Amino acid sequence: MSNSSQSDRLSILFDHFEVKTKVFAFGTLCGESVFDIQPGLGHIHIIKKPSIEIILKNNKLIVVDEPSLVFFPKPVYHRFRSIFDYGSDMICSTISFVSGMQNPLTNGLPEILILPLRKLLGFEKIFELLYLEAFENTCGKQYAINHLMDYLTLRIYRFLIKENLIESSPMAGIADPKITKAFSAVHKSPAFNWTVDSLAQEAGMSRARFSEYFKQKVGMTPISYLTDLRINIAIKYIIKGKSVKSIHKEVGYSSASSFTRVFLQRTGMTPKEWLKNKIMTQQEK
């Protein structure tokens, strides 16, 4: 049996931020379709049969003339317009991450990623199954296609890491062999009393070199990243209905008051205010 402690670091990140996809359209696009900004939602579009135009804000135009995967990691206004009368076959999905702050799965990624399917080696079977579910009248297709899209999302991130397509961000840090051990340690035990010294030890580097290299790769200090991670994990618990008194120890704080103080500093709201705002936002949709 192999040790998955390092190779499975991406799974740990996906568990913390609960990546969710929902396929909402599949078929042939004829004419134009508008995708407005929806807070907290990105988009994944699979263009099976091009050609198609993508219009972004300020009428920036991109022509996609080969089968491609189009990934909007963050909320972005965009329009699709088919070029030919016969239209374009597509599968469209939203993607969301349970997070109340900056998300390590979206930081460092550009506004839009266009990945030609011919470059996604090893993805052929996934697309074959997605097309089967999307374009044939099969029982349970919505359930099946959503789970296939979840798996496709994981494969997209593997590809982005392998091809070094992620800029300075937590994802870049996870992919970096020099500090990946420190990342894995933090994600496995976020409540542990980590210090820069102990994290540097995990990475096998001096304190000064680790601090400098971490900030260069990730875009923030090790302790700042740890704090953001803890708050995001706490938000997941809050959404699930756990009280502040029951979760502060799970995210590394000695008291509910110290946790609330850090939460307020990071989000601008207390946990109760954050949850109330979250509920009101959902009701308005």
Side-chain angles (χ1 to χ4, degrees), residues 231 243-249 251-266 269-271:
I231 297 302
S243 68
V244 172
K245 290 183 179 179
S246 68
I247 66 174
H248 71 267
K249 288 184 179 179
V251 290
Y253 293 94
S254 59
S255 66
S257 59
S258 61
F259 163 69
T260 300
R261 184 171 59 254
V262 175
F263 193 99
L264 179 61
Q265 289 172 349
R266 274 310 204 254
M269 294 177 276
T270 66

Side-chain angles (χ1 to χ4, degrees), residues 18 38 41 59 67 122-123 143 149 153 162 164-165 169 171 178 185 187 232 253-255 260 263 265:
E18 296 187 10
Q38 301 179 64
L41 292 182
N59 289 320
F123 283 62
Y143 182 86
M149 190 63 73
T153 302
K162 181 182 177 183
N164 294 315
L165 295 175
S169 70
M171 284 297 296
K178 292 184 179 179
H187 281 276
N232 274 311
Y253 293 94
S254 59
S255 66
T260 300
F263 193 99
Q265 289 172 349

Side-chain angles (χ1 to χ4, degrees), residues 45-158:
H45 303 286
I46 302 169
I47 302 173
K48 181 186 179 186
K49 185 176 71 174
S51 293
I52 199 165
E53 294 176 338
I54 304 174
I55 302 100
L56 303 176
K57 58 186 176 183
N58 301 323
N59 289 320
K60 179 182 177 182
L61 181 67
I62 301 171
V63 177
V64 179
D65 56 7
E66 65 175 307
S68 299
L69 185 149
V70 181
F71 183 25
F72 291 92
K74 303 173 185 178
V76 173
Y77 170 85
H78 55 287
R79 289 181 288 151
F80 280 2
R81 186 164 60 209
S82 58
I83 294 176
F84 302 112
D85 291 340
Y86 54 73
S88 299
D89 290 343
M90 295 178 58
I91 301 174
C92 300
S93 170
T94 57
I95 178 168
S96 64
F97 307 90
V98 176
S99 172
M101 300 171 57
Q102 295 187 25
N103 194 309
L105 288 167
T106 57
N107 289 354
L109 293 179
E111 180 180 73
I112 177 174
L113 278 160
I114 300 176
L115 307 173
L117 300 193
R118 59 181 169 78
K119 292 186 177 181
L120 299 177
L121 302 179
F123 283 62
E124 296 84 1
K125 189 64 177 179
I126 309 172
F127 290 124
E128 181 183 333
L129 290 170
L130 279 166
Y131 298 152
L132 173 67
E133 295 295 339
F135 297 104
E136 294 189 17
N137 189 22
T138 53
C139 184
K141 66 187 298 178
Q142 188 66 55
Y143 182 86
I145 201 169
N146 283 341
H147 283 278
L148 285 168
M149 190 63 73
D150 287 341
Y151 177 55
L152 175 62
T153 302
L154 176 62
R155 292 293 301 269
I156 292 170
Y157 274 95
R158 285 182 187 167

Side-chain angles (χ1 to χ4, degrees), residues 202-217:
E202 290 285 338
M205 302 169 72
S206 71
R207 185 185 193 280
R209 177 61 181 145
F210 173 74
S211 294
E212 179 186 358
Y213 192 82
F214 190 100
K215 189 170 184 179
Q216 175 190 341
K217 275 290 176 182

